Amino acid sequence: MIERLKARARALKNEAFAVYLAAKDPRTPWYAKALIFFVVAHTFSPIDLIPDFIPVLGYLDDLIITPGGLWLAVRLIPPEVLAEARAKAATTSFDRRLGYVGMTIIIIGWILMLIGIIYFILRSTKRI
């Protein structure tokens, strides 16, 4: 069972890389590229959007964002572009820079969320 899960994880990683390569193609619509950017950045980021130590939610983001986002991205990419990208992904090595882009996006999101929380706390205490 463990080997089957590892094989599925590798297949998911390969599919995410193929979708990333398809996003570089000019035939891919802009809205698909936007979705792919966030999904692939989240998938390959070395840190999580929601840390895994948070019960349920920590793993739920990985179980929903990556497969669901990839599923939607595959539906939005033209079939011939996706076929070419899958063939290229099978022969091309993975670009490690993708993880750092995702990590940067997640950290910026955390900072913005923290600023928003502090703002609302300070704003609500002034009204009392």
Side-chain angles (χ1 to χ4, degrees), residues 39 42 56-57 59-71:
V39 171
H42 174 269
V56 181
L57 292 178
Y59 291 110
L60 199 58
D61 76 325
D62 295 331
L63 292 173
I64 292 175
I65 293 174
T66 298
L70 287 176
W71 174 83

Side-chain angles (χ1 to χ4, degrees), residues 13 16-21 23-24 36-47 93-106:
K13 182 179 176 183
F17 187 55
V19 165
Y20 164 73
L21 293 174
K24 291 181 169 185
I36 291 166
F37 175 76
F38 289 108
V39 171
V40 171
H42 174 269
T43 301
F44 293 119
S45 173
I47 59 175
S93 63
F94 171 71
D95 187 3
R96 294 273 177 210
R97 292 179 294 168
L98 287 173
Y100 296 114
V101 171
M103 181 176 64
T104 303
I105 291 170
I106 290 172

